[in-house]
């Protein structure tokens, strides 16, 4: 038993020594990870050029369905607006496709500061973050976007005629899809922050009023439309995700406290 404890203490000491990196080493590691992340985004965006046209037609479905005659077309008011919209769709595809690689690079950057036991959480972090990102995109596409586009396209038809430009419509849809997907990663982010001892479940629970205001502001940013239906459709899942974050933060906090207790026992053993 003494040999096992000694081995554990030596392993923790070695990991602690490896975790200490100079500022320049951290900056170099950050440069490497950003290079890989940007490279993955560029390559996936290039792939996105091949599917940009059918993807653009697919993104127009909520608009086509919402227009009364069903013959909607996106206008271009500037010579370069069409190609800018085409590039934006390709970039959206590239960002979604490269998300697993970018999450993996993020993990590689923070993992040197973690113990061997904590590094195993990569098998939870990357799949969970990716799954929540995709769920957020699906929620936005099948529920939020159709409701918002239908309301805006049919608002005061006797006064306004719906003829949106490609730049405005695609920017509107892409912003909703991407940022709602990112917002859905809140629970897993809060869990790891609590696991690292940065936040606690009690802090999240006590500041729920500020969280509601923050969610309202975030919903207003994601959905620039002013109708209350779209705002509520956006706020409802974000508030549910915040409650989930509290429960996951509680789990992460308990794991952090157990880890700190183990480290304290190991230090006591070394002192003895």
């Amino acid at each position: 038993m003494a040999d096992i404890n000694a081995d554990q203490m030596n392993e923790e000491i070695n990991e602690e020594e490896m975790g200490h990196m100079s500022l320049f080493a951290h900056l170099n590691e950050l440069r490497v990870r950003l290079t890989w992340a940007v490279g993955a985004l560029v390559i996936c965006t290039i792939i996105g050029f091949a599917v940009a046209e059918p993807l653009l037609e697919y993104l127009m479905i909520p608009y086509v369905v919402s227009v009364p005659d069903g013959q909607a077309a996106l206008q271009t008011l500037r010579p370069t607006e069409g190609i800018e919209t085409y590039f934006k769709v390709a970039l959206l595809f590239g960002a979604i496709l490269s998300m697993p690689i970018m999450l993996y690079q993020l993990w590689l950057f923070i993992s040197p500061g973690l113990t061997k036991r904590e590094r195993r959480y990569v098998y939870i972090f990357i799949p969970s973050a990716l799954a929540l990102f995709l769920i957020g995109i699906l929620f936005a596409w099948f529920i939020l976007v159709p409701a918002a586009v239908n309301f805006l396209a049919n608002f005061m038809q006797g006064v306004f005629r719906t003829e949106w430009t490609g730049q405005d419509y695609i920017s509107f849809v892409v912003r909703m899809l991407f940022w709602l997907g990112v917002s859905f990663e809140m629970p897993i982010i809060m869990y790891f922050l609590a696991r690292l001892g940065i936040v606690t479940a009690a802090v999240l629970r006590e500041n729920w009023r500020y969280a509601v205001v923050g969610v309202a502001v975030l919903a207003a940013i994601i959905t620039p439309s002013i109708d209350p239906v779209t705002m509520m459709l956006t706020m409802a899942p974000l508030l549910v995700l915040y409650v989930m974050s509290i429960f996951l933060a509680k789990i992460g906090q308990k794991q952090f406290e157990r880890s700190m207790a183990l480290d304290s026992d190991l230090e006591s053993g070394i002192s003895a």
Side-chain angles (χ1 to χ4, degrees):
M1 179 65 68
D3 293 337
I4 295 176
N5 291 334
D7 292 339
Q8 290 178 345
M9 287 186 288
N10 291 332
E11 181 181 354
E12 294 290 340
I13 294 173
N14 292 333
E15 289 178 349
E16 184 177 357
E17 292 176 351
M18 292 175 62
H20 291 291
M21 300 172 62
S22 67
L23 176 61
F24 290 105
H26 277 295
L27 292 176
N28 183 65
E29 181 69 14
L30 178 62
R31 178 187 61 81
V32 172
R33 298 307 158 203
L34 286 176
T35 301
W36 277 98
V38 173
L41 177 61
V42 171
I43 293 174
C44 293
T45 301
I46 293 174
I47 297 174
F49 288 138
V51 297
E53 184 175 354
L55 184 58
L56 181 58
E57 295 176 353
Y58 184 70
L59 291 176
M60 283 187 61
I61 291 178
Y63 181 36
V64 174
V65 173
S66 299
V67 174
D69 56 7
Q71 297 180 354
L74 297 177
Q75 299 184 46
T76 55
L77 302 180
R78 292 178 289 106
T80 60
E81 186 170 351
I83 193 169
E84 289 174 2
T85 305
Y86 181 84
F87 271 81
K88 184 169 293 187
V89 172
L91 182 61
L92 170 65
F93 180 85
I96 296 175
L97 190 63
S98 62
M99 184 60 66
I101 300 175
M102 290 190 287
L103 288 174
Y104 183 63
Q105 295 304 315
L106 174 62
W107 178 261
L108 290 178
F109 177 70
I110 65 176
S111 61
L114 305 178
T115 64
K116 183 178 180 180
R117 189 187 315 109
E118 291 171 336
R119 293 190 191 109
R120 297 172 186 170
Y121 288 101
V122 65
Y123 301 109
I124 301 175
F125 176 75
I126 293 181
S128 300
L130 181 60
L132 289 172
F133 180 74
L134 295 177
I135 291 173
I137 290 178
L138 293 175
F139 174 83
W141 176 249
F142 288 104
I143 298 179
L144 193 58
V145 171
V149 171
N150 182 69
F151 174 83
L152 297 174
N154 294 282
F155 180 73
M156 296 183 67
Q157 293 182 2
V159 179
F160 303 110
R161 183 172 60 184
T162 304
E163 292 181 355
W164 294 338
T165 64
Q167 184 79 2
D168 292 337
Y169 174 74
I170 295 301
S171 297
F172 176 79
V173 173
V174 167
R175 179 166 53 183
M176 293 180 68
L177 293 177
F178 181 78
W179 288 114
L180 201 63
V182 172
S183 300
F184 265 59
E185 296 183 343
M186 185 195 327
I188 195 68
I189 293 175
M190 289 300 176
Y191 165 76
F192 277 97
L193 290 177
R195 182 64 182 83
L196 297 174
I198 299 176
V199 300
T200 63
V203 171
L204 296 177
R205 186 171 54 252
E206 293 170 358
N207 293 276
W208 66 269
R209 295 178 180 84
Y210 298 102
V212 173
V213 176
V215 166
V217 173
L218 182 61
I221 295 174
I222 294 174
T223 59
S225 62
I226 61 173
D227 64 290
V229 176
T230 305
M231 284 286 295
M232 291 302 298
L233 286 174
T234 307
M235 289 184 61
L238 293 179
L239 291 175
V240 172
L241 290 172
Y242 186 79
V243 175
M244 291 176 57
S245 299
I246 295 176
F247 286 102
L248 289 178
K250 188 174 182 179
I251 297 174
Q253 181 182 347
K254 290 181 178 179
Q255 293 174 344
F256 172 75
E257 292 172 351
R258 285 198 298 266
S259 177
M260 294 298 294
L262 178 60
D263 292 341
S264 179
D265 293 340
L266 290 175
E267 290 179 0
S268 300
I270 293 175
S271 302

